[in-house]
Amino acid sequence: MDSRGFQQGCFNSFQSSSSDEDLVDIPGTAMNFSLRDDVPPLDGEIEEDKSYNGGGIGFSTRMMDFLEEPIPGVGTYDDFNTIDWVREKSRDRDRHREITNKSKESTWALIHSVSDAFSGWLLMLLIGLLSGSLAGLIDISAHWMTDLKEGICTEGLWFNHEHCCWDSDQVTFENKDKCPKWNSWSQLLISTEEGAFAYIVNYFMYVLWALLFAFLAVSLVKVFAPYACGSGIPEIKTILSGFIIRGYLGKWTLIIKTITLVLAVSSGLSLGKEGPLVHVACCCGNILCHCFNKYRKNEAKRREILELHIKSGADYSTLVQPACEVHNNFPSSVVINNFKFANVTMLHHHSQKLDDGFGARPDENLAFVLSAAAAAGVSVAFGAPIGGVLFSLEEVSYYFPLKTLWRSFFAALVAAFTLRSINPFGNSRLVLFYVEFHTPWHLFELVPFILLGIFGGLWGALFIRTNIAWCRKRKTTQLGKYPVIEVLVVTAITAILAFPNEYTRMSTSELISELFNDCGLLDSSKLCDYENHFNSSKGGDLPDRPAGAGVYSAMWQLALTLIMKIVITIFTFGMKIPSGLFIPSMAVGAIAGRLLGVGMEQMAYYHHDWAIFNSWCSQGADCITPGLYAMVGAAACLGGVTRMTVSLVVIMFELTGGLEYIVPLMAAAMTSKWVADALGREGIYDAHIRLNGYPFLEAKEEFAHKTLAMDVMKPRRNDPLLTVLTQDSMTVEDVETVISETTYSGFPVVVSRESQRLVGFVLRRDLIISIENARKKQDGVVSTSIIYFTEHSPPMPPYTPPTLKLRNILDLSPFTVTDLTPMEIVVDIFRKLGLRQCLVTHNGRLLGIITKKDVLKHIAQMANQDPDSILFN
């Protein structure tokens, strides 16, 4: 790094950019963060006059410590920065200690202390209620709009197909979906439902509605909330690790994602709402945090709440992309995955204007909020509160203390209770897939279950590689410039292929429900079209029996559905609309499992005398449950894509009620993970994090290379010296010159340039705001005023300008390692403490600095990957 000279000149504090906690210039970057855009709205408003007031030379020799009262903006972070977890935890401890001490002084202070302690639980309650309500609204709306593609209810346009025919006395068992109140589009338009022309009319209206829904979804995202696209889980994981994406969890993102999620699901695209519901719940958590000072002012606490929520279940002018890429037509000056844009200021102002400051600003308190919100999101997505808590712990959370576990569970419980009260599925249950299997599984069946696990692992690895390759192609070609056209083309292809096949025409959730179903006496589905009749001597269970023509027809249709789902999901996930991956992955596995289950069932019927069957399955006995195979296959494929294990098994048995089938689910989930890991270590969310260049340090992977801190730190051996500040010999002008000529986000402070003995570390942002505030509010501060980072200043000659004491913004305990520290220890320190940067010393002498970005680049280099893909830190 350059040790810049101190030059005279005008200093404009916010016209130089600061690379996110990195002390290395980013070539070609020219950010212009005006103060009104840069300071988080909740930290207080600063006067609009940003000009420097030099003032006259004062005659007072006193040292001016204007930081005795907090200055708005000091201690906060810029957008696309990583927070300092250690500092945030310290600030929260100080706040808690102060409240505790004051609680002994008066009754009012005691009440304030109790309310502060209770505020976390109250916030969990509000998050659960809001998340559950939104999930119920999304479920009901999506069901109605999905049925709208096929017809309408003449008695009430607001009724979906099922509710329209609910109380009709003219519905027969064979034609349970037909009733006089429900009219298809051919009946409405040409007054007939028979014949080729009626089929063409229904086909045309199905495709037309699908295109309309998709167009509205992508247009709303593009115009109003670019962060509303994708599933949101990769970005939530990155935010929970401490990265700031202001506006990603804002109110506009929440509103638009809720609306467009309904539209995207209703369009019939191969996507689900479960992943985006996690993002919706985290938006709820982030917005509700602003009602509580405890969380509004501490980023780490808010992250904890968001994790709790996961468990419950626009112009593309974004600097960072949520699983969908930056739109080339919108200018931005940051290079993202080989794309370079110009004018960050415009984008920064645009996003803040849309979100009114409700952005993701990480710290310990926000992590608590987001962790809880993540739990609530999964709870309402699947109706699985316990699985939601485990999902947040296993897959999403970066920092998960025990109190987060308790509050996550509470948030997930409230969210699930709210969803159950709304009863969106009309079955008095939390989930759409609830099944009751009557036959226990046999030990031999572990073999096909493991085969399904192998299939799930292969599918997961195939999907991740092909989807990432397609998303990368979208980034690097002209395709990325036309998101609306891409969405419409994929929607048209999906709708045209889906309509002729009844299993692709129905919603994916309904398809999974039918595949999980255990055939009973009243089932009229083709999957239950067996030849022989019920034998009452079997104790109420249907025996294994030969498949009829309907079953064989269904098998062919399901095979075609499987191929279509595998192919179309690859191109759907990552488009510029809300899109989840849980349901499409489960559908692929459920189809494969049902096909295998029916095959096993027929094999047991026709070859019951084989050695593998004769000991436990006699002819006509109820031995094989095809629905169970579908459930195991769904778990295997979802595990292969996401690499979930414990949370996946819990979600599946909560989702279906199949508690006694935990062992088959565990076997399939572990096999799927092993196979997928053998072909590629990353799950789909980690792969998208790396594709988008997010600064996420994976806590699950070990660093096994033998390198030292001196191999990673900057400056390197032949580089210029480190840019530093001295504790008592630099003027305001000197410091302003250093800031204006560099883009570093912070500076080490040393005793002197000769000794290089470390005193502390000061953030660029805090320096800028503090100097600017001193110029405006203190008389006599001029460019020749000395800046002191010491506790006391030496006596000053008369008639000298007042000095500035900035010790209060100095971090006096920055983390340091020696130059010979192994990098595996340094990586662990960054992971477990959530550091922004770490200083490197030798015998107490400052040598260099290692930032989180440097660590990520080094890990990428060691893995033979492109280190320049890590752009934000």
Side-chain angles (χ1 to χ4, degrees):
M1 298 176 178
D2 258 5
S3 179
R4 311 272 182 177
F6 303 113
Q7 303 174 4
Q8 302 290 329
C10 179
F11 170 63
N12 188 339
S13 63
F14 288 91
Q15 285 184 349
S16 60
S17 99
S18 109
S19 64
D20 301 321
E21 21 160 42
D22 191 15
L23 300 193
V24 181
D25 292 305
I26 299 180
T29 302
M31 298 186 182
N32 183 357
F33 289 144
S34 67
L35 193 60
R36 69 171 57 91
D37 285 337
D38 209 24
V39 177
L42 293 171
D43 293 321
E45 295 297 332
I46 297 179
E47 296 176 13
E48 298 207 356
D49 180 14
K50 307 302 175 189
S51 60
Y52 287 101
N53 180 9
I57 298 179
F59 293 91
S60 172
T61 59
R62 67 182 179 85
M63 176 173 287
M64 299 166 52
D65 187 358
F66 61 92
L67 289 177
E68 291 178 357
E69 295 182 0
I71 297 178
V74 169
T76 58
Y77 304 95
D78 288 331
D79 204 6
F80 304 111
N81 265 276
T82 301
I83 67 166
D84 189 333
W85 285 87
V86 176
R87 182 174 74 163
E88 295 296 330
K89 287 175 66 68
S90 177
R91 289 169 60 185
D92 187 61
R93 282 195 299 268
D94 292 341
R95 184 197 62 82
H96 187 267
R97 191 179 295 114
E98 181 183 359
I99 291 176
T100 302
N101 293 335
K102 288 184 177 179
S103 66
K104 303 174 184 177
E105 299 175 358
S106 65
T107 304
W108 175 251
L110 178 62
I111 294 174
H112 178 260
S113 175
V114 173
S115 66
D116 181 79
F118 181 71
S119 61
W121 295 100
L122 178 59
L123 181 56
M124 295 302 99
L125 176 66
L126 296 176
I127 288 173
L129 291 172
L130 183 56
S131 300
S133 301
L134 287 177
L137 175 65
I138 290 171
D139 285 331
I140 294 172
S141 302
H143 197 174
W144 174 71
M145 293 181 69
T146 299
D147 290 345
L148 190 62
K149 294 185 297 182
E150 299 187 16
I152 59 174
C153 185
T154 54
E155 188 161 296
L157 296 179
W158 54 90
F159 289 128
N160 61 36
H161 194 168
E162 182 181 6
H163 290 154
C164 184
C165 300
W166 194 277
D167 57 353
S168 175
D169 55 3
Q170 300 183 41
V171 177
T172 63
F173 176 72
E174 290 78 11
N175 296 312
K176 60 182 180 180
D177 291 333
K178 295 183 179 180
C179 66
K181 299 178 183 178
W182 180 263
N183 290 325
S184 66
W185 289 109
S186 62
Q187 288 177 297
L188 290 171
L189 297 177
I190 60 174
S191 302
T192 181
E193 198 177 5
E194 306 296 333
F197 188 57
Y199 181 85
I200 293 173
V201 170
N202 288 330
Y203 201 152
F204 175 78
M205 294 301 297
Y206 181 91
V207 176
L208 183 63
W209 278 109
L211 289 172
L212 176 61
F213 293 154
F215 175 75
L216 289 175
V218 68
S219 299
L220 288 172
V221 169
K222 180 177 180 180
V223 174
F224 294 104
Y227 284 145
C229 64
S231 74
I233 293 181
E235 289 70 32
I236 298 299
K237 291 184 67 172
T238 307
I239 291 172
L240 285 170
S241 73
F243 191 59
I244 298 174
I245 309 178
R246 188 162 294 132
Y248 191 79
L249 302 177
K251 64 181 181 183
W252 269 106
T253 302
L254 172 63
I255 294 171
I256 298 302
K257 188 139 195 171
T258 301
I259 296 172
T260 55
L261 181 56
V262 174
L263 292 167
V265 171
S266 304
S267 68
L269 286 165
S270 184
L271 49 81
K273 63 180 184 300
E274 284 65 25
L277 275 176
V278 173
H279 186 188
V280 168
C282 288
C283 289
C284 296
N286 182 63
I287 293 171
L288 290 172
C289 276
H290 292 78
C291 301
F292 301 86
N293 287 335
K294 176 178 179 180
Y295 300 102
R296 182 171 68 232
K297 297 180 179 179
N298 190 296
E299 296 289 347
K301 286 290 183 188
R302 293 163 73 190
R303 268 158 186 70
E304 291 178 14
I305 297 292
L306 285 186
E307 286 182 32
L308 293 178
H309 255 311
I310 294 172
K311 300 165 190 163
S312 314
D315 197 318
Y316 286 88
S317 53
T318 87
L319 288 179
V320 212
Q321 299 223 38
C324 34
E325 294 69 35
V326 180
H327 190 260
N328 290 355
N329 292 339
F330 197 96
S332 143
S333 70
V334 178
V335 181
I336 301 180
N337 294 332
N338 300 324
F339 277 87
K340 187 172 182 181
F341 307 90
N343 193 353
V344 157
T345 308
M346 179 179 178
L347 172 57
H348 185 81
H349 176 72
H350 176 72
S351 66
Q352 283 208 339
K353 179 180 178 183
L354 283 181
D355 288 284
D356 293 339
F358 292 101
R361 298 171 42 223
D363 69 8
E364 182 195 2
N365 281 336
L366 180 57
F368 163 60
V369 177
L370 297 186
S371 298
V378 172
S379 176
V380 296
F382 289 108
I386 300 176
V389 176
L390 294 176
F391 174 80
S392 180
L393 172 61
E394 178 182 9
E395 186 63 24
V396 179
S397 301
Y398 197 83
Y399 172 70
F400 202 87
L402 189 58
K403 65 178 179 180
T404 303
L405 179 67
W406 302 333
R407 295 187 180 182
S408 296
F409 183 78
F410 179 67
L413 172 65
V414 173
F417 173 79
T418 305
L419 186 65
R420 169 64 181 80
S421 301
I422 296 174
N423 192 21
F425 305 122
N427 57 4
S428 299
R429 299 188 186 275
L430 275 175
V431 295
L432 182 62
F433 306 144
Y434 188 83
V435 294
E436 291 182 290
F437 298 135
H438 305 288
T439 306
W441 62 280
H442 191 268
L443 186 62
F444 168 75
E445 291 183 281
L446 279 178
V447 175
F449 293 154
I450 290 174
L451 290 177
L452 286 174
I454 295 174
F455 172 80
L458 294 174
W459 147 250
L462 170 67
F463 174 80
I464 292 171
R465 290 194 178 187
T466 51
N467 179 254
I468 293 298
W470 176 251
C471 289
R472 184 174 290 112
K473 183 178 180 63
R474 183 188 291 128
K475 284 177 176 289
T476 56
T477 63
Q478 296 296 312
L479 179 63
K481 295 182 178 181
Y482 307 102
V484 177
I485 294 177
E486 181 192 7
V487 170
L488 291 179
V489 168
V490 174
T491 303
I493 294 173
T494 303
I496 290 171
L497 295 177
F499 187 83
N501 187 338
E502 63 178 290
Y503 293 111
T504 51
R505 188 191 314 170
M506 67 175 63
S507 70
T508 310
S509 297
E510 292 176 350
L511 171 62
I512 295 173
S513 181
E514 181 156 343
L515 293 171
F516 283 3
N517 183 41
D518 186 22
C519 292
L521 282 173
L522 301 180
D523 283 309
S524 59
S525 168
K526 290 198 299 184
L527 287 171
C528 300
D529 182 21
Y530 291 91
E531 290 184 359
N532 60 328
H533 300 287
F534 173 66
N535 186 350
S536 59
S537 66
K538 295 298 179 181
D541 295 333
L542 289 176
D544 289 336
R545 53 229 189 272
V551 174
Y552 287 113
S553 173
M555 292 301 100
W556 279 110
Q557 288 180 295
L558 285 177
L560 294 174
T561 302
L562 178 62
I563 296 172
M564 177 185 168
K565 290 287 184 184
I566 287 176
V567 175
I568 208 70
T569 304
I570 293 171
F571 298 97
T572 303
F573 187 71
M575 293 195 304
K576 311 306 186 295
I577 53 175
S579 56
L581 194 57
F582 283 32
I583 290 297
S585 299
M586 290 177 63
V588 170
I591 295 171
R594 189 77 186 203
L595 292 173
L596 180 60
V598 173
M600 288 290 297
E601 180 188 47
Q602 296 306 300
M603 187 184 300
Y605 177 81
Y606 287 108
H607 305 285
H608 60 276
D609 55 343
W610 285 6
I612 58 175
F613 295 118
N614 60 14
S615 62
W616 60 281
C617 185
S618 58
Q619 184 175 12
D622 186 19
C623 304
I624 305 294
T625 306
L628 172 61
Y629 285 74
M631 187 172 74
V632 173
C637 284
L638 182 55
V641 172
T642 63
R643 309 300 161 85
M644 294 159 52
T645 52
V646 179
S647 58
L648 172 62
V649 172
V650 175
I651 288 173
M652 288 304 299
F653 82 70
E654 284 190 281
L655 189 64
T656 59
L659 184 60
E660 63 180 298
Y661 302 103
I662 288 181
V663 173
L665 291 171
M666 292 174 65
M670 284 308 305
T671 304
S672 173
K673 177 175 173 56
W674 287 335
V675 172
D677 283 348
L679 300 175
R681 298 292 299 176
E682 292 180 321
I684 185 62
Y685 302 126
D686 295 327
H688 273 277
I689 286 174
R690 184 165 61 86
L691 174 68
N692 291 311
Y694 298 146
F696 181 77
L697 193 56
E698 178 57 65
K700 302 173 186 176
E701 298 181 3
E702 294 185 3
F703 184 84
H705 305 282
K706 293 184 178 180
T707 52
L708 302 176
M710 62 186 299
D711 300 323
V712 181
M713 74 175 190
K714 292 180 179 178
R716 304 290 176 85
R717 282 191 178 90
N718 299 323
D719 290 344
L721 295 176
L722 192 68
T723 300
V724 298
L725 304 179
T726 57
Q727 67 173 357
D728 56 8
S729 61
M730 297 182 69
T731 65
V732 170
E733 183 180 26
D734 294 335
V735 174
E736 290 175 344
T737 301
V738 171
I739 294 175
S740 63
E741 293 183 352
T742 64
T743 59
Y744 310 148
S745 67
F747 305 92
V749 178
V750 297
V751 173
S752 66
R753 295 186 179 279
E754 293 74 26
S755 71
Q756 290 289 308
R757 285 176 52 203
L758 182 64
V759 176
F761 190 86
V762 63
L763 293 178
R764 172 198 190 93
R765 177 187 176 89
D766 291 354
L767 269 177
I768 292 173
I769 295 175
S770 300
I771 294 174
E772 187 171 89
N773 192 74
R775 282 188 179 274
K776 289 166 51 179
K777 294 186 177 181
Q778 301 295 335
D779 293 334
V781 176
V782 294
S783 297
T784 55
S785 298
I786 302 293
I787 292 180
Y788 282 92
F789 293 100
T790 56
E791 188 68 38
H792 304 287
S793 63
M796 303 296 293
Y799 304 106
T800 57
T803 57
L804 259 63
K805 180 182 175 183
L806 299 184
R807 186 178 178 84
N808 285 358
I809 66 171
L810 182 65
D811 181 4
L812 295 171
S813 57
F815 271 85
T816 60
V817 295
T818 66
D819 53 333
L820 298 179
T821 304
M823 271 306 295
E824 56 185 316
I825 295 179
V826 175
V827 172
D828 274 344
I829 291 174
F830 271 89
R831 282 173 176 162
K832 295 176 181 178
L833 296 180
L835 299 184
R836 289 165 56 106
Q837 66 276 319
C838 182
L839 301 176
V840 182
T841 62
H842 178 76
N843 293 335
R845 180 183 173 89
L846 178 65
L847 291 184
I849 187 169
I850 299 175
T851 67
K852 186 177 181 182
K853 180 176 178 180
D854 296 327
V855 173
L856 289 163
K857 284 191 171 185
H858 184 66
I859 293 175
Q861 280 182 319
M862 294 295 99
N864 295 320
Q865 297 169 357
D866 179 17
D868 292 329
S869 63
I870 310 298
L871 297 173
F872 295 109
N873 185 27

